[in-house]
Amino acid sequence: MQFIDKDKPSPQWIAATRKQFQVEREIDRALTCKMEKRSSPPYTKLPLAALVKGVTALIGSQLKTPFEISDAKWLAGGASKLQMAFKLHWDRPGVGRDITRMVLRNDLAEALHATSRLREFQVVRALDGVIPTPPVFWVDNVGEHLPYPGIVYGFVSGITKPSDAKSGVTGLGTYMPEEVRKKLAPQFVAHMAQLHTFDFRSADLSAFDVPKPGTQNAEWAVNWWDRVWAEDSDEQVPLVALASSWLHKNAPAVEHLSIVHGDFRTGNYLFDEADCRITTWLDWELARIGDRHQDLAWSTSHAFSVPAEDGKTLLVSGLMPESEFLEAYEKTSGLKVDRKALHWYQVFNAYSMIAMTLATSYRVAHNGKSHQDILLAWLLGVGYMLLDEMLGLIEKGA
Amino acid sequence: MQLRPQIQIQTIIKAMMEDVIPALDQTNQLAMQSAQLTIGTLMLISQHLPLEYRYDCDELARLLASAETLQAQAKGIAKTRDTLTKLTAASHAGADVLRRARAEPGEIVEAVRELRAATAEAVSAVYAEGDEAAQSAVEKTVLSMSKEQLLRDRSWLLMQGWEPDPKSVPAIETLLAPIAKS
């Protein structure tokens, strides 16, 4: 069998992989950039001063009036980003002299997924006023000013779980007490419905490709993770090969295109602990124009489910039983839940998560490319539970 | 199994060096020494792990050779009879083990990986070229084989806490087939 050194990929192999898996242009750019930089040195800890210098350069390239940055400090950023909080003293357009709390989300040498900061910037800006999103200010899509690509958001307060709640790493398996669930669940459904019924065609989403009617949307989606698996995996998994073939064979046509968040679950929104109001939705880097069933299926994944107090009923994203969730979604959005499409996207989502955990987590940690290699190596283990979930879904048939 | 000690040790060392040690009270000598020794020990384990099996086989072979020499040299000395009987028994047992210890652990892992890759390629080829009946048959084979393997993979990692119903996953000791004696 031909050996391919994925730690030092040749330009020929990168070109062949790009040709083999057709994906959206900006996703292709982000994945190609990842592969072209793969043989570069491991990630070394960045001092806070390097991010301050970078963000100063980024903001300086956008503002014509004097500004100052103060109170810079690290924020916990999860497995895929570095985050720095800071205050910007500036002449804010339409406001005047202002001190604004901001957050820089900065990429790493490599992360759980190679995505585009420009897409994130555009989609968050487009959704301003549609569902709660953080204000977004500036983007450095290629690391022109920052050490790695990054995006500057306005700071939004809130928590991802009640202060006394338990959860696993990166917010997986967060248990919400019943009184909190009752307040969060309707907002969770309403925000998803508002997202999926938003008319994206009037927004500036130039970094997104709009799929043609039919199965192109699903094909692009599978190709994305086929390519990630090809680029990042170490050990092959026959079930993954089967799943990829199964997904291509049974790809559903989309009848209504929506903006899809791509990681719509508890852990990716902030809420106010006092009144349980969702203050913002975070982590838009996997967003795409696609089929709403992708988000519906993602939210219902067992990886994000938590048993209720009876120990039996699984709660979607720790909030409500699946049947209740889907019924509420249909009622709120006016859009039907097609069980066949939902099933296909459940297989697809498991497939993408398997690629992220078993392939990318391994590759990033193996090459020492992140600030939390130990977390990525730990996350690798969830891949086997996801494989088992995917197996059960494929067994149910198309 | 992708989650193996090599990558685990590598990431633990990095976390210790970059996150844990800088956060320690640098004047706490006991804590600093223990942290450094933790890293040193992990580095040692990392170096030893891939060679441990070969190291033991190598010693066993040398012990067998010297036992044979010793038996010849001590033969006829009355008071060594019981000792030599024990040495002979241990040599026979050791020789049996060494005879069966043919492949190194690394070779087994490599064979597994080769077969996984070849199987995956065959599955894709059947879906690309085969008819409906062949695809359906292959699907059944892969699902059945994967189900058995995944039960072991999940049991192997049970302690990580990913399973929604951990009690339904049997202990790994009960799932692994014993190594054949002949």
Side-chain angles (χ1 to χ4, degrees):
Chain A
M1 213 159 284
Q2 194 195 354
F3 174 74
I4 294 155
D5 187 353
K6 295 181 183 177
D7 295 332
K8 296 183 184 66
S10 67
Q12 293 78 11
W13 189 73
I14 295 172
T17 311
R18 291 181 69 190
K19 198 175 168 190
Q20 190 181 352
F21 305 105
Q22 200 205 340
V23 295
E24 289 179 64
R25 288 162 300 147
E26 184 63 8
I27 289 169
D28 172 50
R29 189 201 59 75
L31 292 174
T32 304
C33 182
K34 168 193 79 175
M35 294 308 282
E36 286 172 346
K37 290 184 176 169
R38 173 143 301 161
S39 55
S40 61
Y43 172 80
T44 49
K45 228 176 175 86
L46 284 169
L48 199 59
L51 290 189
V52 172
K53 188 180 167 196
V55 85
T56 304
L58 171 61
I59 296 171
S61 72
Q62 303 290 319
L63 294 182
K64 290 189 174 70
T65 52
F67 67 92
E68 191 189 329
I69 285 166
S70 72
D71 301 277
K73 62 176 182 187
W74 292 113
L75 285 179
S80 60
K81 294 283 173 291
L82 285 175
Q83 295 200 126
M84 178 183 80
F86 64 96
K87 286 181 184 165
L88 180 66
H89 306 247
W90 62 319
D91 285 321
R92 189 171 183 173
V95 176
R97 203 65 196 163
D98 189 37
I99 301 171
T100 312
R101 291 176 76 190
M102 296 197 170
V103 175
L104 169 71
R105 264 166 66 79
N106 209 90
D107 286 0
L108 301 154
E110 277 191 42
L112 202 53
H113 21 67
T115 49
S116 160
R117 298 290 64 74
L118 181 60
R119 282 168 70 100
E120 184 180 340
F121 180 84
Q122 287 185 346
V123 77
V124 173
R125 197 177 49 183
L127 290 167
D128 181 28
V130 179
I131 66 171
T133 51
V136 62
F137 290 95
W138 302 285
V139 62
D140 180 356
N141 198 35
V142 292
E144 187 186 348
H145 305 286
L146 293 158
Y148 300 104
I151 189 165
V152 178
Y153 282 107
F155 183 87
V156 180
S157 59
I159 51 170
T160 55
K161 59 183 179 185
S163 33
D164 55 351
K166 286 181 184 169
S167 76
V169 287
T170 75
L172 300 182
T174 302
Y175 170 79
M176 299 281 192
E178 195 174 358
E179 66 275 15
V180 177
R181 299 203 296 260
K182 275 185 180 165
K183 290 178 183 165
L184 288 177
Q187 298 176 73
F188 186 91
V189 173
H191 292 161
M192 189 186 271
Q194 283 152 5
L195 175 66
H196 293 165
T197 50
F198 169 66
D199 178 15
F200 64 87
R201 290 178 200 274
S202 55
D204 172 16
L205 294 170
S206 59
F208 293 76
D209 292 335
V210 181
K212 291 178 200 153
T215 59
Q216 188 178 49
N217 153 66
E219 288 290 341
W220 279 352
V222 185
N223 285 346
W224 180 352
W225 299 102
D226 280 349
R227 179 164 161 185
V228 168
W229 181 263
E231 290 171 343
D232 297 349
S233 66
D234 175 47
E235 185 175 84
Q236 286 307 308
V237 180
L239 181 60
V240 168
L242 177 77
S244 169
S245 300
W246 186 97
L247 286 164
H248 283 290
K249 184 180 171 182
N250 298 298
V254 59
E255 102 291 356
H256 172 93
L257 285 171
S258 305
I259 290 183
V260 171
H261 180 281
D263 195 3
F264 202 99
R265 63 173 172 89
T266 291
N268 278 341
Y269 56 81
L270 299 178
F271 64 98
D272 186 292
E273 190 155 27
D275 61 6
C276 293
R277 180 181 50 85
I278 293 180
T279 53
T280 199
W281 278 89
L282 306 167
D283 284 3
W284 290 89
E285 56 197 311
L286 292 170
R288 54 193 295 269
I289 295 169
D291 190 322
R292 62 187 179 279
H293 293 92
Q294 185 179 337
D295 276 341
L296 287 163
W298 188 270
S299 299
T300 56
S301 168
H302 288 182
F304 312 129
S305 297
V306 177
E309 288 76 7
D310 64 6
K312 293 176 194 162
T313 314
L314 271 186
L315 301 175
V316 168
S317 227
L319 296 176
M320 69 205 109
E322 185 174 314
S323 55
E324 209 176 285
F325 165 62
L326 296 176
E327 197 181 321
Y329 173 83
E330 282 191 328
K331 201 173 165 188
T332 313
S333 68
L335 296 166
K336 282 273 163 220
V337 176
D338 176 337
R339 299 289 165 160
K340 206 170 167 179
L342 182 69
H343 177 246
W344 188 90
Y345 275 101
Q346 282 170 336
V347 177
F348 166 75
N349 286 338
Y351 181 69
S352 67
M353 281 192 270
I354 288 160
M356 282 179 220
T357 51
L358 279 185
T360 307
S361 280
Y362 167 79
R363 187 64 56 186
V364 177
H366 166 72
N367 286 327
K369 294 281 191 174
S370 88
H371 65 317
Q372 283 187 304
D373 291 346
I374 194 164
L375 171 60
L376 293 175
W378 182 263
L379 279 177
L380 208 161
V382 77
Y384 296 94
M385 186 275 279
L386 293 167
L387 278 168
D388 190 59
E389 183 182 347
M390 186 171 75
L391 186 151
L393 290 164
I394 293 176
E395 256 185 343
K396 284 184 189 165
Chain B
M1 172 50 63
Q2 190 75 77
L3 189 53
R4 289 181 177 271
Q6 283 82 356
I7 193 158
Q8 292 172 306
I9 293 169
Q10 178 194 322
T11 57
I12 296 168
I13 291 172
K14 187 176 173 186
M16 285 293 296
M17 288 171 74
E18 293 188 357
D19 302 327
V20 179
I21 292 182
L24 287 178
D25 174 1
Q26 306 291 308
T27 62
N28 184 333
Q29 289 187 355
L30 180 61
M32 288 301 290
Q33 187 187 54
S34 295
Q36 295 294 353
L37 284 171
T38 302
I39 291 174
T41 306
L42 286 167
M43 283 175 166
L44 197 62
I45 295 170
S46 181
Q47 194 186 67
H48 288 171
L49 260 180
L51 296 173
E52 197 173 52
Y53 183 81
R54 199 188 304 178
Y55 185 95
D56 291 333
C57 288
D58 177 75
E59 183 179 3
L60 183 54
R62 220 166 326 93
L63 277 168
L64 285 169
S66 63
E68 199 178 333
T69 309
L70 261 178
Q71 277 168 331
Q73 289 166 341
K75 201 175 179 184
I77 302 171
K79 286 192 174 174
T80 61
R81 192 182 298 155
D82 287 353
T83 317
L84 286 181
T85 305
K86 278 186 198 164
L87 187 60
T88 304
S91 292
H92 285 155
D96 176 53
V97 169
L98 193 59
R99 198 168 42 249
R100 286 187 284 116
R102 301 220 166 178
E104 289 199 39
E107 289 180 274
I108 295 171
V109 173
E110 204 41 52
V112 166
R113 290 166 60 97
E114 287 283 328
L115 210 44
R116 275 173 168 266
T119 305
E121 215 170 287
V123 170
S124 301
V126 169
Y127 265 83
E129 306 290 339
D131 59 20
E132 198 68 37
Q135 290 178 6
S136 171
V138 162
E139 182 179 309
K140 273 188 191 134
T141 303
V142 175
L143 291 178
S144 160
M145 178 264 284
S146 302
K147 197 176 279 185
E148 284 299 317
Q149 184 54 43
L150 280 172
L151 190 61
R152 285 149 182 81
D153 295 337
R154 290 159 54 218
S155 178
W156 189 250
L157 300 172
L158 200 55
M159 212 192 84
Q160 278 198 305
W162 305 117
E163 291 296 325
D165 182 15
K167 284 181 188 150
S168 68
V169 183
I172 190 66
E173 295 83 353
T174 66
L175 292 169
L176 298 179
I179 303 290
K181 291 278 183 189
S182 58

